[in-house]
Amino acid sequence: MISGTYILAGVAIRIESIFDEVQQMCMDYRTDAAPEITVCTTLADIVEEGRLSDEERKLEGLPEYHYEQPYLETLAVYRQIATALLSRGVMLIHGSVIAVDGEGYMFTALSGTGKSTHVRLWRELFGERAVMVNDDKPLVRVSEEDSPLVYGTPWDGKHHLSTNIAVPLRAIVLIERGAENEIHPISAEEAFPTLLQQSFRPEDPMLTIQTLQLLSLLSQKVGLYRLHCNMDPDAARVAYEGMVSSAKRTKANG
């Protein structure tokens, strides 16, 4: 086995793997701290990850694809990490997160809707004010006492866009394609089905309940929006200014 310890979502995690690929992809998160959690993969975990990937591609109508075992192990490792972190109030949500002026905005939607493209427009609009947190699978820490924090992770999509930082998560935006660019606040009830669909859901029923509780709490603590957008560069300005204006109105009324 190959091993290393890494800080993910503020937790020192020891990864024991068969292949070196997952150790290399986590290198920017390496730490000498004593591990609080240890995850260890087996060949059976890798085979199961391959089966799950095949099922997902079939559901999405995609052709069969043979993934190499080292890549499948990176998925198996993250599945174990996401499961272990739930008990610490940390959840995995599939989405693209960008920070502007130190505050995080998460965009989530079904694959192929244009999350990464929209976030690219934000990077172009804000330049040095913007930092990519994670373009695919960020971790979010949720608690009763504090504001939610969103963390960069090495599981950062095909373009490998991420930064090893944590920022306050101010808003979650559900993206839909539209002819015109418009954004409006939505309720937790409206957002919940999509958020649940885009969240990591463990097999353990008790951990599933914990996931639902964390999602419910998260929905109370961040702004929730639905964005209809095209790929025009103005979409980023409309989204940002709409959220800032909405947050100001909420603060003034509250």
Side-chain angles (χ1 to χ4, degrees), residues 12 22 47-48 51 59 68 90 109 111 125-126 128 142 150 152 155 178 180 183-184 189 209 226 233 238 245-246 249:
V22 68
V47 170
E48 175 64 8
R51 184 188 69 80
L59 287 173
E68 298 295 331
V90 177
S111 296
L125 175 65
F126 292 104
E128 294 183 356
V142 190
V150 60
W155 286 266
E180 302 294 331
I183 188 168
H184 60 270
E189 289 75 18
I209 292 172
R226 191 180 307 279
V238 169
S245 297
S246 177
R249 287 194 300 271

Side-chain angles (χ1 to χ4, degrees), residues 145-241:
E145 301 80 14
D146 302 313
S147 298
L149 286 177
V150 60
Y151 295 81
T153 77
W155 286 266
D156 52 11
K158 62 183 179 181
H159 300 298
H160 300 296
L161 296 173
S162 64
T163 310
N164 184 4
I165 58 174
V167 299
L169 180 59
R170 296 305 183 206
I172 300 177
V173 184
L174 280 52
I175 292 185
E176 296 180 3
R177 290 285 182 92
E180 302 294 331
N181 296 313
E182 57 180 3
I183 188 168
H184 60 270
I186 57 175
S187 67
E189 289 75 18
E190 290 177 274
F192 200 86
T194 299
L195 292 181
L196 180 59
Q197 183 182 38
Q198 297 300 100
S199 299
F200 170 73
R201 300 182 299 280
E203 295 181 358
D204 186 324
M206 295 306 295
L207 290 178
T208 298
I209 292 172
Q210 197 159 18
T211 300
L212 294 173
Q213 292 172 338
L214 288 175
L215 267 182
S216 178
L217 182 57
L218 177 64
S219 298
Q220 299 169 30
K221 288 179 166 282
V222 301
L224 300 170
Y225 299 87
R226 191 180 307 279
L227 171 66
H228 292 94
C229 65
N230 53 39
M231 295 299 108
D232 188 275
D234 196 50
R237 181 193 60 79
V238 169
Y240 179 75
E241 292 182 356

Side-chain angles (χ1 to χ4, degrees), residues 14-247:
R14 180 180 176 85
I15 298 173
E16 297 180 352
S17 63
I18 297 171
F19 301 102
D20 191 46
E21 182 164 323
V22 68
Q23 308 288 341
Q24 291 301 317
M25 69 180 284
C26 292
M27 198 56 65
D28 288 345
Y29 295 74
R30 183 130 196 174
T31 181
D32 293 325
E36 303 167 60
I37 294 171
T38 296
V39 300
C40 180
T41 48
T42 65
L43 281 174
D45 295 325
I46 295 172
V47 170
E48 175 64 8
E49 206 62 50
R51 184 188 69 80
L52 293 172
S53 295
D54 289 343
E55 283 188 358
E56 185 176 343
R57 291 185 68 85
K58 286 179 182 178
L59 287 173
E60 294 180 2
L62 298 173
E64 291 186 9
Y65 185 84
H66 175 71
Y67 292 104
E68 298 295 331
Q69 287 192 337
Y71 170 73
L72 291 172
E73 186 176 39
T74 68
L75 303 181
V77 165
Y78 206 31
R79 187 178 299 276
Q80 289 192 29
I81 289 172
T83 301
L85 287 177
L86 276 171
S87 63
R88 296 170 179 252
V90 177
M91 63 186 309
L92 166 61
I93 301 177
H94 179 64
S96 187
V97 181
I98 189 167
V100 175
D101 299 331
E103 297 189 329
Y105 300 84
M106 175 185 290
F107 297 89
T108 188
L110 297 176
S111 296
T113 304
K115 299 184 299 294
S116 296
T117 300
H118 183 74
V119 170
R120 175 178 57 78
L121 297 179
W122 278 56
R123 300 202 312 271
E124 293 172 356
L125 175 65
F126 292 104
E128 294 183 356
R129 292 172 58 193
V131 177
M132 277 303 303
V133 179
N134 186 277
D135 197 33
D136 189 34
K137 296 182 176 68
L139 293 168
V140 181
R141 179 179 294 279
V142 190
S143 71
E144 292 279 1
E145 301 80 14
D146 302 313
S147 298
L149 286 177
V150 60
Y151 295 81
T153 77
W155 286 266
D156 52 11
K158 62 183 179 181
H159 300 298
H160 300 296
L161 296 173
S162 64
T163 310
N164 184 4
I165 58 174
V167 299
L169 180 59
R170 296 305 183 206
I172 300 177
V173 184
L174 280 52
I175 292 185
E176 296 180 3
R177 290 285 182 92
E180 302 294 331
N181 296 313
E182 57 180 3
I183 188 168
H184 60 270
I186 57 175
S187 67
E189 289 75 18
E190 290 177 274
F192 200 86
T194 299
L195 292 181
L196 180 59
Q197 183 182 38
Q198 297 300 100
S199 299
F200 170 73
R201 300 182 299 280
E203 295 181 358
D204 186 324
M206 295 306 295
L207 290 178
T208 298
I209 292 172
Q210 197 159 18
T211 300
L212 294 173
Q213 292 172 338
L214 288 175
L215 267 182
S216 178
L217 182 57
L218 177 64
S219 298
Q220 299 169 30
K221 288 179 166 282
V222 301
L224 300 170
Y225 299 87
R226 191 180 307 279
L227 171 66
H228 292 94
C229 65
N230 53 39
M231 295 299 108
D232 188 275
D234 196 50
R237 181 193 60 79
V238 169
Y240 179 75
E241 292 182 356
M243 284 188 279
V244 170
S245 297
S246 177

